[in-house]
Amino acid sequence: MLWPLIVYFGLVVFVTATMLGSYVLGQRHRGLGVGTAYESGIVSEGSARVRFSAQFYLIAMFFVVFDLEAVFLFAWAVAAREAGWAGYWEVVIFIGVLLVALMYLSERHLRRGITCNGR
């Protein structure tokens, strides 16, 4: 019964030893391009300290709400028969809470859009 723990410990030791060995035995490069940022082969322009608008964060919150909904509803769908009616009503309450959050974000998004545009 102890063999999974021994295998896991062996893998951890192997990975750690490989990383330390690579650090100790690896080459040290001091070229011109070593310290520069590299993003998919495109040379970066400007500063990384870019300010995002509030609408960016609202869209991010929309994504989190829908992502959570998808994850939990998928898990519920797998076990829907075992959950029975109690599980069904729990999912209905969960979707209701998420819809309230979505309405709040939508209302806030509309209010911010109106005040930001000066209308």
Side-chain angles (χ1 to χ4, degrees):
M1 288 311 260
L2 201 58
W3 69 269
L5 185 62
I6 294 171
V7 170
Y8 177 73
F9 182 71
L11 285 172
V12 168
V13 169
F14 174 73
V15 169
T16 304
T18 303
M19 291 173 63
L20 287 174
S22 174
Y23 177 75
V24 171
L25 299 175
Q27 299 177 0
R28 307 287 189 259
H29 296 283
R30 302 285 180 214
L32 294 175
V34 171
T36 60
Y38 181 77
E39 183 67 33
S40 300
I42 300 172
V43 179
S44 62
E45 298 177 9
S47 173
R49 306 280 183 209
V50 178
R51 294 186 68 144
F52 293 107
S53 68
Q55 291 182 353
F56 172 79
Y57 295 106
L58 288 172
I59 298 298
M61 289 191 325
F62 278 128
F63 172 75
V64 168
V65 166
F66 284 119
D67 192 40
L68 280 175
E69 184 178 16
V71 166
F72 286 116
L73 285 181
F74 181 76
W76 173 79
V78 169
R81 289 185 192 254
E82 290 86 16
W85 283 104
Y88 172 76
W89 289 113
E90 288 175 6
V91 166
V92 168
I93 292 170
F94 176 71
I95 291 173
V97 169
L98 288 179
L99 285 175
V100 168
L102 181 63
M103 288 187 293
Y104 169 74
L105 288 174
S106 297
E107 183 268 329
R108 187 173 173 147
H109 180 68
L110 291 174
R111 187 174 357 126
R112 285 217 180 198
I114 291 170
T115 58
C116 290
N117 292 334
R119 295 182 193 161

